[in-house]
Amino acid sequence: MALNLIKRNGSRQEFSVFKLQKLLTDVCRGFPLDAQKPLLNLEEYLKDGMTTSDLFNALTMNVLSLTSVEEPEWKNVAGRLKILALYKQVSLARNMPKNEPPYDYVSFLKYAVDNGIYSMVITEKYSPEELAAAAGFINPDFDFVYDYAGANLLLKRYLCEYGDKIVELPQDMFLSIALLIEQDEDKESRMAKVKDTYQKLADRKISLGTPLLMNLRRPNGNLSSCFITAMEDTRESIFYVIDQVSSISKFGGGVGVNISRVRAKGARIKGIKNSSGGVIPWIRILNDTAVAVNQQGKRKGAVTVSLDMWHLDIEDFLELRTENGDQRMKAYDIFPQVIVPDLFMQKVENNEDWLMVDPHEIRTRYGIELAELWGKDFEKAYNQLYLEASFGKLELFKFYPAKELLKKVMRSQIETGMPYIAFKDTLNKYNPNKHDGIIVGTNLCTESHSNVRPSHIDEDVLKDGKVIRTAEGGLVHVCNLVSINLANIDSDEELESICETSVRLLDNAIDFTRVPVLEGQQHNKRYRTIGVGAMGLADMLAKHNIPYILSADFVDELFEKIAIYNIRASIRLAKEKGTFGAYEGSDWSKGIILGHDQIWFNKNAKHPEAWNEIFADLQKYGIRNSQIAAIAPNTSSSLIQGCTASVLPVYSKFFVETHGKGSIPNCPPFIRDKFWFYQENRNISQETVIDVMSRINKWIDTGISIELMYNLNRNIRAKDIYNTIMSAWKKDIKTLYYTRTIQKDGSSLEKSECVSCAG
């Protein structure tokens, strides 16, 4: 039966199976597949009068449906078809001449700048001759490495649009990003660095954090992934921080807010008892701010609010996202985070009572700001207050069994996936800038943190008919992120080169990042914090025939090498450009690296010679970045990279993502040949996962997004969860991120994740 297709211009043409056969032969090239297999059920999606576009889409989805553990490459074939369809869409959107090659970068750049799609920075910073040379770096073959899920996400979230049409191709994006990242490098070496950065981005060796990937070439785009701020116990400070959150969220950043200084429910205001509503009403305003000021229209804002375990409102805080109780005390769009001192964990172990107090009373009566204390200083103040409360000398306090309070944390985690846990003393023990402040909490995905202090906000003053308000002394944590794709790395030499590029591009980004809040700009100058992370660890282990449960020693040495390469790269930058602003007095300036002196490395490191060289160079040149490594969850960006997310075991060897437009089958990249070496997280003891994480953690100067997973089909008991948390604390894990449970019906607790931190 003859079939007619409707072309894009409205004309009709007779359907030819031979064209499809040739197309499938081309897109299957290099894969061990029968290229004609998708045609076996051809009649199911053919109908007279369908458009060529509909035919192409139907073919793509038919190809995708063939994906299996035995033939996983069909998802890559579907990705190639998706990219070919993109070429056609972009050609039509940009009115390109028919049969022109897809890439003419110089012409595209002019088009993008003239139409306000790109900022003018590239054309201002580079000469026409340099841009012509850069155009020669483009390798269109890199477009065909994506599987369907990666190509689909690239189109949906990252490529630039004009009106409602995509007008940018993947290599346009990567080359533009490389040009912008290297814009301030010395002109003699700049183009070589542009080529180096482009190739590592396009070849999926390095994955940029979402703000960098999404916004770098767009006008006025925020480039930073992570922010943390804190509020004082005044109306002015609280609303100042709420405004900070709205500014950060407006430009696509995820933000952490520490609220521990704010007085508790029932505290005095201006001496009047029972006046304060506590922290929950303010958290609800933060919640509504996150919803109202969304992340550039992509999704609602993302805010984690942290509260110290000694705060009198902690029990209400733990119920923020549970379904039961007073709905006026809920904040379902907030991600709660508890700040846990060592003393609390010790009291849990010893089955002792825990004291909860009002920070305002402690501040006004004793001159102690508990939120600013950690370690021995906190323990001394707490023990004094414990005695005062025991003798009834405090007005607002509560004793509660520490173990029961931890059970409330665990119960909330199983029900809602939260709160996240940040071990405050561990965070600050390994803080290289403890000479300059305190870490009060973490970012949204718990992998990034540094010193934060609230701005002191003067009360409004009426002067010359104007309301004057000053904000002084504040620091807002800012961090830019990349992740190394371990799945695509085959040698130590390559890994070192990738680490060097990663450190350079993140440090460069600091200098042209427009931070949405002034205190963040000051933080960048003072600390130059960056976060080089990793993804695809499960794939690298599978390539080396190492099951995850037996990976601890391999992982230990791998991340020691990464630490060596990253730190070495930052020291080289310091030699060339100088140290971070607060270097003097830091651990780095004292010859302490990752919390340890040189003697420790000689006893405990597998590569002491390399560390001895680093200590010598550190003494000579200092270091450029105060904090260098942070491992984000990369749940979405790992799809583009075609690897498993982060450094955790795979969630599933084969899974199907279902959404409004259909289902997308997916599996790890090496599943065909390495099936038995991929181990699913749901079937692994979480204490084993914590052990592997602790091996990585000792080489990471900030943190890791450690997602815990409890499979309720494996007779998980409360004691197992308790032991995992205790093990994490004892092994110096700094933070615990999301808790996911696999229910007995096979469903799992859904995880909501910040787009900014997903990179």
Side-chain angles (χ1 to χ4, degrees):
M1 180 179 69
L3 293 174
N4 287 303
L5 302 176
I6 308 300
K7 299 176 68 174
R8 292 177 189 266
N9 63 7
S11 64
R12 301 173 73 88
Q13 72 173 37
E14 187 174 348
F15 167 73
S16 169
V17 72
F18 300 109
K19 287 186 178 181
L20 282 189
Q21 288 174 336
K22 183 180 183 304
L23 172 65
L24 286 168
T25 299
D26 288 342
V27 294
C28 287
R29 188 167 287 116
F31 296 133
L33 300 171
D34 176 3
Q36 304 311 307
K37 188 174 180 179
L39 300 180
L40 294 178
N41 59 343
L42 184 66
E43 293 181 358
E44 293 182 16
Y45 56 88
L46 279 180
K47 58 182 180 180
D48 189 46
M50 71 187 306
T51 65
T52 53
S53 177
D54 287 342
L55 172 63
F56 201 88
N57 290 337
L59 177 66
T60 302
M61 298 313 293
N62 189 45
V63 166
L64 182 63
S65 71
L66 298 174
T67 304
S68 66
V69 169
E70 292 76 23
E71 293 186 329
E73 297 86 2
W74 287 115
K75 64 189 176 73
N76 299 86
V77 175
R80 290 178 175 182
L81 291 170
K82 188 80 174 174
I83 293 296
L84 289 175
L86 172 68
Y87 282 0
K88 191 71 173 177
Q89 292 170 35
V90 169
S91 176
L92 290 170
R94 285 164 43 186
N95 295 315
M96 296 169 64
K98 191 175 181 181
N99 298 322
E100 283 288 308
Y103 284 102
D104 179 352
Y105 182 73
V106 173
S107 296
F108 166 71
L109 183 61
K110 183 178 187 308
Y111 168 85
V113 171
D114 288 349
N115 287 284
I117 302 161
Y118 275 16
S119 72
M120 298 175 64
V121 175
I122 297 177
T123 51
E124 291 172 345
K125 290 278 187 174
Y126 291 89
S127 68
E129 293 76 19
E130 287 175 313
L131 292 174
F137 301 157
I138 283 182
N139 180 357
D141 290 345
F142 286 140
D143 282 346
F144 298 99
V145 299
Y146 301 102
D147 64 16
Y148 182 85
N152 191 53
L153 184 63
L154 199 64
L155 271 64
K156 186 169 69 172
R157 183 179 294 171
Y158 296 105
L159 296 178
C160 288
E161 299 172 339
Y162 185 56
D164 59 351
K165 304 292 185 184
I166 297 174
V167 295
E168 180 186 50
L169 294 173
Q171 304 313 307
D172 294 327
M173 175 182 73
F174 287 126
L175 181 58
S176 300
I177 288 171
L179 286 162
L180 287 165
I181 280 175
E182 307 294 357
Q183 62 182 275
D184 294 327
E185 289 289 334
D186 185 273
K187 288 190 176 181
E188 290 186 6
S189 60
R190 185 169 66 172
M191 293 308 294
K193 290 176 179 176
V194 169
K195 185 176 183 180
D196 172 70
T197 295
Y198 163 72
Q199 289 180 337
K200 286 170 180 169
L201 293 176
D203 200 19
R204 301 192 303 176
K205 307 289 186 180
I206 298 173
S207 173
L208 295 174
T210 291
L212 281 166
L213 191 59
M214 185 185 292
N215 298 329
L216 184 52
R217 60 230 182 267
R218 289 177 164 99
N220 304 314
N222 165 58
L223 308 180
S224 300
S225 297
C226 310
F227 299 83
I228 309 169
T229 186
M231 56 178 61
E232 290 185 325
D233 185 32
T234 66
R235 179 185 64 83
E236 290 81 9
S237 177
I238 290 167
F239 280 103
Y240 184 79
V241 168
I242 290 168
D243 186 56
Q244 284 182 328
V245 170
S246 70
S247 295
I248 292 167
S249 186
K250 173 184 176 181
F251 289 100
V255 58
V257 181
N258 181 259
I259 200 167
S260 295
R261 291 170 173 82
V262 174
R263 68 194 71 191
K265 185 178 181 180
R268 293 175 180 266
I269 298 178
K270 296 189 180 300
I272 302 171
K273 292 177 68 174
N274 296 318
S275 297
S276 172
V279 300
I280 303 301
W282 301 120
I283 293 173
R284 284 171 59 85
I285 295 176
L286 284 167
N287 182 98
D288 294 344
T289 301
V291 173
V293 188
N294 63 30
Q295 293 186 357
Q296 297 177 304
K298 300 293 182 181
R299 60 183 295 168
K300 64 191 175 190
V303 180
T304 177
V305 175
S306 62
L307 190 69
D308 281 79
M309 286 294 279
W310 47 258
H311 199 287
L312 194 56
D313 288 348
I314 193 69
E315 290 177 278
D316 288 338
F317 184 76
L318 294 176
E319 299 292 329
L320 273 175
R321 291 185 62 130
T322 60
E323 296 294 336
N324 55 302
D326 187 350
Q327 292 301 301
R328 293 171 297 180
M329 300 291 283
K330 304 298 179 181
Y332 292 114
D333 301 292
I334 285 292
F335 300 82
Q337 174 185 153
V338 291
I339 309 299
V340 179
D342 285 353
L343 190 59
F344 173 78
M345 299 301 288
Q346 292 162 10
K347 287 186 177 292
V348 169
E349 270 200 306
N350 297 330
N351 211 13
E352 297 174 351
D353 283 344
W354 179 247
L355 173 67
M356 297 173 283
V357 297
D358 165 39
H360 174 68
E361 181 182 4
I362 305 309
R363 185 186 309 115
T364 52
R365 290 184 62 179
Y366 299 94
I368 297 172
E369 186 63 83
L370 280 176
E372 294 180 356
L373 302 181
W374 68 278
K376 295 298 181 184
D377 291 336
F378 172 78
E379 191 172 335
K380 180 180 177 183
Y382 176 91
N383 288 335
Q384 176 192 347
L385 296 172
Y386 198 98
L387 284 174
E388 296 284 294
S390 299
F391 287 106
K393 293 186 178 180
L394 295 183
E395 183 175 77
L396 288 175
F397 68 92
K398 183 177 182 179
F399 287 108
Y400 198 87
K403 187 169 286 188
E404 293 303 312
L405 193 55
L406 183 59
K407 285 181 182 177
K408 286 193 172 189
V409 171
M410 292 160 48
R411 194 176 301 119
S412 179
Q413 286 179 326
I414 293 300
E415 187 175 337
T416 71
M418 290 160 272
Y420 310 147
I421 295 176
F423 296 111
K424 189 172 187 176
D425 292 329
T426 309
L427 286 171
N428 284 284
K429 179 169 66 173
Y430 291 104
N431 177 10
N433 298 310
K434 56 178 70 71
H435 69 301
D436 197 46
I438 182 173
I439 297 171
V440 297
T442 78
N443 71 318
L444 187 71
C445 297
T446 76
E447 84 281 9
S448 185
H449 44 259
S450 65
N451 293 343
V452 168
R453 52 178 174 261
S455 294
H456 176 69
I457 314 297
D458 287 342
E459 291 190 12
D460 296 349
V461 176
L462 193 64
K463 184 177 181 180
D464 298 330
K466 295 181 180 180
V467 175
I468 306 297
R469 176 185 293 179
T470 59
E472 298 176 335
L475 280 176
V476 170
H477 167 88
V478 182
C479 188
N480 299 331
L481 301 173
V482 302
S483 293
I484 297 167
N485 186 350
L486 297 172
N488 289 346
I489 293 172
D490 296 311
S491 69
D492 287 349
E493 293 74 21
E494 185 178 30
L495 180 59
E496 181 169 17
S497 176
I498 287 166
C499 288
E500 183 169 2
T501 301
S502 297
V503 171
R504 182 183 73 240
L505 70 85
L506 284 178
D507 185 72
N508 283 350
I510 290 172
D511 293 325
F512 53 78
T513 294
R514 295 179 62 183
V515 182
V517 292
L518 176 63
E519 293 87 346
Q521 196 69 40
Q522 293 166 342
H523 181 281
N524 264 346
K525 292 177 182 177
R526 194 158 187 79
Y527 299 127
R528 299 192 73 86
T529 298
I530 61 175
V532 178
M535 60 172 71
L537 176 61
D539 306 312
M540 175 177 268
L541 294 174
K543 279 171 70 174
H544 287 82
N545 298 335
I546 301 172
Y548 200 92
I549 61 172
L550 301 178
S551 68
D553 289 341
F554 178 90
V555 163
D556 199 328
E557 184 169 9
L558 170 66
F559 281 89
E560 179 183 347
K561 290 175 186 175
I562 291 173
I564 289 168
Y565 302 151
N566 284 340
I567 292 169
R568 190 182 282 162
S570 189
I571 289 173
R572 286 184 187 135
L573 286 177
K575 180 180 178 182
E576 179 185 345
K577 300 179 179 180
T579 63
F580 64 93
Y583 174 77
E584 292 302 328
S586 69
D587 280 4
W588 298 104
S589 72
K590 297 173 182 176
I592 297 171
I593 298 177
L594 303 172
H596 305 293
D597 60 19
Q598 194 167 355
I599 296 171
W600 183 92
F601 285 90
N602 283 322
K603 289 181 178 179
N604 296 283
K606 290 185 174 64
H607 300 277
E609 303 85 1
W611 286 110
N612 287 334
E613 291 176 8
I614 283 174
F615 275 100
D617 288 343
L618 181 66
Q619 190 174 18
K620 288 181 191 174
Y621 309 117
I623 196 163
R624 181 70 169 165
N625 312 100
S626 69
Q627 288 157 300
I628 303 169
I631 300 180
N634 3 85
T635 307
S636 59
S637 55
S638 62
L639 294 176
I640 294 175
Q641 292 292 311
C643 67
T644 53
S646 193
V647 292
L648 292 165
V650 294
Y651 171 68
S652 178
K653 294 183 183 185
F654 186 87
F655 58 97
V656 178
E657 291 186 86
T658 303
H659 51 77
K661 294 186 178 179
S663 299
I664 300 177
N666 215 329
C667 50
F670 312 127
I671 194 71
R672 178 196 280 267
D673 299 319
K674 303 293 183 178
F675 181 86
W676 296 110
F677 294 102
Y678 280 106
Q679 292 186 297
E680 295 177 338
N681 202 356
R682 70 180 87 188
N683 298 321
I684 299 176
S685 163
Q686 295 305 288
E687 287 191 69
T688 300
V689 173
I690 288 296
D691 184 50
V692 175
M693 291 300 105
S694 71
R695 299 294 194 99
I696 300 174
N697 177 70
K698 69 181 178 182
W699 305 113
I700 301 293
D701 54 9
T702 44
I704 309 169
S705 292
I706 302 175
E707 179 183 312
L708 297 175
M709 183 172 291
Y710 298 106
N711 188 346
L712 301 186
N713 296 286
R714 302 183 72 231
N715 297 317
I716 295 293
R717 300 164 299 166
K719 186 177 181 181
D720 298 313
I721 302 172
Y722 169 85
N723 287 340
T724 301
I725 294 172
M726 294 301 292
S727 178
W729 168 60
K730 289 180 178 179
K731 290 179 178 177
D732 274 358
I733 296 292
K734 301 179 186 85
T735 62
L736 294 174
Y737 179 41
Y738 205 84
T739 300
R740 179 180 285 191
T741 52
I742 308 296
Q743 303 298 319
K744 299 215 170 179
D745 63 0
S747 65
S748 66
L749 186 65
E750 288 300 314
K751 180 178 73 167
S752 180
E753 184 169 72
C754 172
V755 167
S756 296
C757 298

